[in-house]
Amino acid sequence: MTDAGPTGETRPERRWFALVVIATAQLMTALDATIVNIALPSAQRALQFSDAQRQWVVTAYTLCFAGLLLFGGRVADAVGRRRSFQIGLAGFGLASLLAGLAPTLPVLAAGRALQGAFAALIAPTVLSLLAVTFTDQRERTRAFAIYGAVASSGAAAGLLAGGALTAYLDWRWCLFVNVAISGAVLAVGRLVLPDPPRFGSAGLDAASAVLATGGLAAVVLGCSQAAAGGWAQPTVFGPLLGGLAMVAAFAQRQARIPDPLLPLRILADRSRAGAYLAVATAVVGAFGIFLILTFHLQVVLHYSPVRTGLAVLPMTLANALSGYQLGNRLLPRLSPRILIAGGLLVAAAGLAIVTQLTPDSGYVATILPAQVLIGTGMGALFPPAFQLAVHGVTQQDAGVASAVINAATQVGSSIGTAILNTLAVTATAAYLAAHRTAPGLYRAALVHGYATATAWATGLLAAMAVLVYLLIPAPRRQSTEHTQTTHAQAKEES
């Protein structure tokens, strides 16, 4: 039973409770991408899995989130936004329970994959529920501002919560906490959430969802297998070729069927394609460096989980501050391609500092400035990239264009984490083989692996900055003047 009026809108006295429910659900799905990062060393010791396998704890979640996000939107259209939200919350809680109780890595990865699948059901519903709940423009603006602040704090909250839960309780509580949150949100949501009418739904194209998710998983599997014996082996190029074939089959199917999950016209625009590439590449560096710094701080520098969570917080803070101060404020004055390419170059400069890591590198001299540069670069590029992603699309395609750029972040984090982890592990093994009798060998080998992986990420972001600058066309002079005039008028009115 909901406390809603006949049109599906929430009654005035309950709508702010609805905002709390919606924002909390979004926060839960956002922080779960980072909350386990700090707990990974403890989980690895408890379940005894290898360095090459550890990335699955992160990528199992992001892979299913990315691969099923568009399909989740179609499910929400078919069964209703409120019901889809409730199913997603209940499933997310049960999946978190399974992962928290996991006795082995495969069970833990399976639980994380289910978390990602149900997060893909929650994510498409939250903004539409918020829009239906708040119909007054002034209240809607305030509600979206609160929602945005909560959503953007997910990564930071995950790092802090992961450190505290791991240190004072157990790493498994990083997963058990979702059971309590999802249960509470589900119970309150039944009372306060609106029940908007269903949208006319085309069929549920499960085959496309299987091809997208399976293809991405196979690519990540191939990348992770390279850590065991190098890239030139059947267990590597077999999954890689199979994954690429599935992704190609997905694209071909989207071109043939009348109601595709991803209309290919979305990708035809150069600006939009450049925005997708930039976001996916930036996230490769962000998630890869989170994984590397987590292990460097805890295994090499012997930081506690709480201290590690605090130590990696500057990157997320720099990201948030830069997004508001640079990305939003400079967008009316500079073309998107300058902000996006410049942001990638600034983040690459931060990664370049990490390549100079040694076992004795200090936090303040090396790790802190690197995080500030990486966070600042990402904050500068995300607002213009997200704006380009939906610029010029029809109302019919606005939802899928937004979903694709969200999926791009999950794809980048999945593949980036897998590749950078593999590069780090293989470089570490090569160093151990070449320096069998060196003092402090293991710590030196680990740091060499981290620096090598980061060097590849540095080159990737720098190369993508050039590509994106060339791919995104310069704005027309008339369009630029119109944008500046509109911005000035809006400033005067405010």
Side-chain angles (χ1 to χ4, degrees):
M1 176 179 172
T2 67
D3 191 10
T7 63
E9 297 179 5
T10 303
R11 292 175 181 170
E13 63 271 18
R14 295 295 182 94
R15 57 180 176 268
W16 294 106
F17 288 102
L19 173 61
V20 172
V21 167
I22 294 166
T24 304
Q26 173 63 25
L27 177 65
M28 181 179 67
T29 60
L31 67 81
D32 233 67
T34 58
I35 192 171
V36 298
N37 280 56
I38 305 300
L40 261 180
S42 299
Q44 185 174 356
R45 287 192 297 270
L47 301 185
Q48 298 182 337
F49 50 85
S50 68
D51 288 347
Q53 296 172 316
R54 67 193 176 198
Q55 53 90 13
W56 283 109
V57 182
V58 177
T59 56
Y61 179 81
T62 54
L63 270 174
C64 287
F65 199 166
L68 296 173
L69 189 58
L70 295 173
F71 184 71
R74 285 294 176 84
V75 172
D77 287 344
V79 306
R81 301 284 166 172
R82 180 171 174 270
R83 182 179 298 178
S84 177
F85 183 80
Q86 292 172 331
I87 294 171
L89 279 172
F92 197 94
L94 292 174
S96 300
L97 181 62
L98 172 65
L101 295 172
T104 61
L105 176 63
V107 178
L108 175 59
R112 292 282 290 162
L114 287 172
Q115 281 185 310
F118 285 109
L121 200 56
I122 296 171
T125 66
V126 289
L127 289 178
S128 63
L129 286 174
L130 197 60
V132 171
T133 302
F134 292 91
T135 54
D136 177 77
Q137 185 59 45
R138 178 174 294 182
E139 287 192 344
R140 176 180 290 189
T141 300
R142 183 182 175 192
F144 270 83
I146 295 172
Y147 168 84
V150 172
S152 63
S153 66
L159 295 171
L160 294 176
L165 291 170
T166 302
Y168 300 120
L169 292 173
D170 185 77
W171 68 269
R172 296 180 185 274
W173 279 96
C174 294
L175 298 157
F176 290 149
V177 68
N178 292 320
V179 181
I181 295 174
S182 60
V185 171
L186 185 62
V188 178
R190 290 177 61 88
L191 300 174
V192 301
L193 286 178
D195 191 9
R198 300 180 189 181
F199 298 89
S201 172
L204 295 177
D205 185 15
S208 291
V210 170
L211 287 172
T213 309
L216 291 173
V219 169
V220 171
L221 175 62
C223 294
S224 64
Q225 289 293 101
W231 294 90
Q233 52 180 328
T235 55
V236 174
F237 57 76
L240 283 177
L241 292 176
L244 292 175
M246 292 181 73
V247 172
F250 169 79
Q252 185 181 33
R253 181 175 176 82
Q254 303 315 292
R256 288 191 296 106
I257 62 178
D259 295 297
L261 288 181
L262 174 58
L264 296 184
R265 61 180 176 272
I266 294 293
L267 306 178
D269 182 82
R270 287 174 53 188
S271 295
R272 198 172 302 120
Y276 294 151
L277 286 173
V279 166
T281 305
V283 174
V284 168
F287 271 73
I289 207 67
F290 268 139
L291 183 69
I292 286 170
L293 287 182
T294 294
F295 278 85
H296 179 77
L297 292 169
Q298 293 191 55
V299 177
V300 177
L301 300 184
H302 305 295
Y303 279 26
S304 69
V306 173
R307 190 180 179 188
T308 300
L310 291 171
V312 297
L313 191 57
M315 191 190 308
T316 60
L317 294 178
N319 186 5
L321 290 173
S322 173
Y324 177 74
Q325 296 293 339
L326 295 179
N328 283 326
R329 292 195 173 189
L330 292 180
L331 187 55
R333 300 174 176 85
L334 296 176
S335 70
R337 71 173 186 169
I338 292 177
L339 282 173
I340 294 172
L344 286 170
L345 288 176
V346 171
L351 291 172
I353 295 176
V354 181
T355 65
Q356 305 305 307
L357 273 179
T358 70
D360 300 317
S361 294
Y363 175 81
V364 174
T366 304
I367 297 174
L368 179 59
Q371 290 189 76
V372 171
L373 284 173
I374 295 169
T376 300
M378 290 192 300
L381 74 87
F382 273 113
F386 271 80
Q387 186 180 95
L388 281 185
V390 296
H391 178 71
V393 299
T394 64
Q395 187 173 0
Q396 176 188 358
D397 291 335
V400 70
S402 177
V404 171
I405 198 164
N406 282 296
T409 64
Q410 304 299 329
V411 171
S413 63
S414 302
I415 297 178
T417 299
I419 292 178
L420 294 185
N421 184 69
T422 295
L423 291 170
V425 170
T426 52
T428 296
Y431 189 95
L432 288 171
H435 304 79
R436 295 183 182 277
T437 59
L441 179 60
Y442 184 63
R443 290 175 71 239
L446 284 176
V447 175
H448 173 74
Y450 301 153
T452 301
T454 308
W456 282 96
T458 303
L460 174 64
L461 264 67
M464 189 56 66
V466 176
L467 176 62
V468 166
Y469 186 82
L470 296 175
L471 184 62
I472 299 175
R476 295 179 180 177
R477 181 178 179 86
Q478 183 179 0
S479 174
T480 303
E481 291 174 353
H482 175 72
T483 301
Q484 292 174 344
T485 302
T486 303
H487 177 70
Q489 291 174 345
K491 191 173 181 180
E492 289 175 3
E493 291 173 1
S494 62

